[in-house]
Amino acid sequence: MNIQTIIKTLIDSGIEKNEAECEIKLLLEGFFNYTEKDKIQGKLLSEADIQKLFNVVEMRIKNKMPVQYIIGKAWFMGEYFKVTPDVLIPRDETEILVKNAIDIINTSKFKSVLDIGTGSGCIACTIAKQTGATVLGTDISSDALRIALDNVTALGINNRAVFRKSNLFDKIRFDEKFDLIISNPPYIPIGTELQEEVLKEPKIALFADENGLEFYKRIINKAPQYLNNNGYLMFEVGINQAEVVRDMMTKYFNELNIIKDFAGIDRVVAGKFIK
């Protein structure tokens, strides 16, 4: 048995070839600290390690558990973040949101950011680490906030990213103002059929009412109360939601912009608040 045989086992279970190769790469790094550099240098895994890898893959296939939960971490914006089934797994699409937010923050020299629905804290932590802004991340889930705190501690930015339990703006004081409000809210319409692996993630972070638009409406209507003049509101959106969300934002926001992801799908909506 070798690594290629194990990759084929994943492919035979219905996982696409590229995804299977990525999963094996994550498992090799997560369990054995075996990287592409080791592969290039000809370093070999022991038969015992190969067997262990095969056993983990068999478990992954049987339980439909995302590989990130198996190794307990996910790669996002150049860092590993702790993840458990209590938080959404960071995705490449969200990197588009964060990269554009960082550009705006650095260009405008923004100092305060609110991340609504912070989950693992990957958005809040990345912004805090790559800008001069302080970030407040909020979430309704206490379990998610514990993961976010572990991540901010691991990155050594405790004084730059802080967290608070809050249902959207409920625990944000009226005198708290932000230069940018960012959110990757639940946006999958209730009733949508998903892969078994995705359903292992917290449903509270996946599904939204009103055809997936519930949280956009609630955040858009409240955000102006908490934004400084010339501040920004930025969202990640689902497929076919960008234009609808942009139209919803026209009531309060200017300079509205839709940004595509790596697949050419409208993925980010941003607008500027001008009093």
Side-chain angles (χ1 to χ4, degrees), residues 194-214:
L194 300 174
Q195 292 178 321
E196 288 185 64
E197 287 87 347
V198 177
L199 290 173
K200 297 292 184 181
E201 300 184 65
K203 292 179 176 59
I204 194 173
L206 293 172
F207 296 104
D209 210 341
E210 300 184 45
N211 201 31
L213 299 172
E214 172 191 1

Side-chain angles (χ1 to χ4, degrees), residues 93-94 96-97 100 184 187 216 235-246 257-270:
E93 293 87 351
T94 306
I96 304 296
L97 173 69
N100 281 275
N184 175 22
Y187 57 66
Y216 297 115
F235 290 117
E236 178 177 325
V237 297
I239 295 174
N240 297 323
Q241 292 178 331
E243 291 187 6
V244 178
V245 172
R246 180 189 60 190
N257 189 24
I258 294 176
I259 302 161
K260 297 182 182 297
D261 65 15
F262 301 112
I265 297 169
D266 293 340
R267 187 61 67 181
V268 172
V269 182

Side-chain angles (χ1 to χ4, degrees), residues 118 124 128 134-138 149 152 157-164:
T118 197
T134 298
V135 188
L136 170 61
T138 65
L149 286 169
V152 79
I157 50 172
N158 300 66
N159 61 331
R160 301 285 312 288
V162 295
F163 300 99
R164 185 184 305 171

Side-chain angles (χ1 to χ4, degrees), residues 42-265:
K43 181 179 176 182
L44 300 176
L45 291 174
S46 68
E47 289 186 12
D49 286 342
I50 291 289
Q51 184 61 52
K52 180 180 178 181
L53 178 64
F54 178 72
N55 293 341
V56 171
V57 166
E58 280 199 317
M59 178 186 70
R60 182 257 183 273
I61 293 170
K62 179 180 178 181
N63 299 333
K64 302 295 184 181
M65 184 64 71
V67 66
Q68 292 88 346
Y69 290 155
I70 293 174
I71 64 175
K73 58 186 179 181
W75 185 254
F76 182 80
M77 293 284 290
E79 301 282 355
Y80 272 116
F81 285 85
K82 178 180 178 179
V83 293
T84 72
D86 295 313
V87 299
L88 201 68
I89 297 168
R91 287 170 167 78
D92 292 344
E93 293 87 351
T94 306
E95 291 196 4
I96 304 296
L97 173 69
V98 176
K99 287 175 181 176
N100 281 275
I102 287 170
D103 287 343
I104 290 172
I105 293 165
N106 287 335
T107 299
S108 303
K109 295 182 170 53
F110 284 162
K111 295 300 181 184
S112 57
V113 176
L114 174 62
D115 172 27
I116 296 177
T118 197
S120 67
C122 64
I123 292 175
C125 290
T126 303
I127 290 174
K129 187 166 184 180
Q130 297 191 23
T131 73
T134 298
V135 188
L136 170 61
T138 65
D139 206 287
I140 196 171
S141 167
S142 298
D143 293 326
L145 290 172
R146 280 191 283 270
I147 301 302
L149 286 169
D150 286 344
N151 282 320
V152 79
T153 299
L155 291 171
I157 50 172
N158 300 66
N159 61 331
R160 301 285 312 288
V162 295
F163 300 99
R164 185 184 305 171
K165 185 173 182 179
S166 179
N167 183 4
L168 302 182
F169 295 98
D170 285 356
K171 299 301 181 181
I172 306 300
R173 301 189 311 271
F174 286 113
D175 63 335
E176 289 184 284
K177 303 294 182 183
F178 302 91
D179 295 317
L180 184 143
I181 296 175
I182 189 169
S183 183
N184 175 22
Y187 57 66
I188 299 173
I190 292 173
T192 302
E193 292 188 10
L194 300 174
Q195 292 178 321
E196 288 185 64
E197 287 87 347
V198 177
L199 290 173
K200 297 292 184 181
E201 300 184 65
K203 292 179 176 59
I204 194 173
L206 293 172
F207 296 104
D209 210 341
E210 300 184 45
N211 201 31
L213 299 172
E214 172 191 1
F215 293 102
Y216 297 115
K217 292 181 179 179
R218 294 172 64 184
I219 294 171
I220 289 167
N221 288 331
K222 283 277 193 178
Q225 300 177 35
Y226 299 95
L227 275 170
N228 289 320
N229 192 33
N230 296 315
Y232 279 79
L233 175 63
M234 300 185 69
F235 290 117
E236 178 177 325
V237 297
I239 295 174
N240 297 323
Q241 292 178 331
E243 291 187 6
V244 178
V245 172
R246 180 189 60 190
D247 291 345
M248 290 164 54
M249 292 175 67
T250 56
K251 183 177 180 180
Y252 302 108
F253 295 90
N254 299 280
E255 300 180 24
L256 292 159
N257 189 24
I258 294 176
I259 302 161
K260 297 182 182 297
D261 65 15
F262 301 112
I265 297 169

